Amino acid sequence: MSADEERDGVRLTNLDQSLFEGADATKRDLVDYLDAVAGRIVPQLADRPLSVKRVLRGQKPFMQKNVPKYTPSWVKTVAVWAETSQREVSYALCDDRRTLLWFANQRAVEYHPPLFRNDAWDRPTHLVMDLDPPVPDDFGAAVRAARLVRRAMADSGLEGAVKTSGAKGVHVFVPLGGSAAADDVAAATRALAARAERLDPELATTAFIREDRAGKVFLDSTRAGGATVVAAYSPRIRPGTPVSFPVPWDELDGVAPADFTIRNAADLLAGRDLWADLMPDPQELPPDLIEEGHTIPIARVQAMHEGKRRARARRTT
């Protein structure tokens, strides 16, 4: 079998090279997997300014936002002004299989879309909670925390779907009706995290500063606004090349992130789009959840100020 071939007009090269150290997969495995799930992952990426994490031979993985100069003319792009760097960034829009295959050939392993579409920058399509256990091998703690989040959602009249992050934790998604502005969705996310924390403060915490978490699961409510979240079915640059995979709520206790990899995930789907099947209908956020959230400080801002305060305290002791 040749190390080069062509699919959908995309020339694929060096397919027999190892993907990255510890991947237990080749570039061909990546291309074959993404091609097999193209019909499921592209709908999540389409019309969203896409960031990808690439891993080139002999280099450390890096996040790519701005498309390279050699990007084919048929790859759709959108220009976005970046306040932090004070420059215009040209993001790709991965709207079809051909673009996905081109990214795969560029050794783009991870796919991180934002929570908004290109035509509605201030209207997130989902509320997302990222549950991060204190140590990599404690996925069970993340599952228990996910159940707290589910209880808090149910108490607020909300439903969501859950997937492994493909790393060590889980992601909970609540589909939205499109009427809530980004700052209100961010506020609701903070409130939902706070309510879940109150259900079991010995298990879960909203503390943004790592040293303040005391070995608890971090309920990360910062996946809002312009933040990105790895897409369902996206591979991860981790040993064995695991995949962020949807799981029914009642099956969470019986799985681990390493159960789903680019070698078996497509077969496990058996022709289904499990993420679409598990996702409930879009919902509107309760006003009381939004109102409560606006009384909670933004975690990153609060952590920045607290970090400066602690630094000043250390200098004076």
Side-chain angles (χ1 to χ4, degrees), residues 246-260:
V247 182
W249 282 103
D250 60 0
E251 296 179 16
L252 266 181
D253 289 313
V255 304
D259 292 345
F260 313 104

Side-chain angles (χ1 to χ4, degrees), residues 4 11 31 33 38 50 75 92 118 127 157 222 234 240 245 310 315:
D4 294 2
R11 183 168 177 260
V31 170
Y33 167 72
L50 180 62
V75 172
N118 185 45
L127 178 155
T222 65
S234 172
F245 202 81
R310 294 182 187 186
R315 289 195 295 269

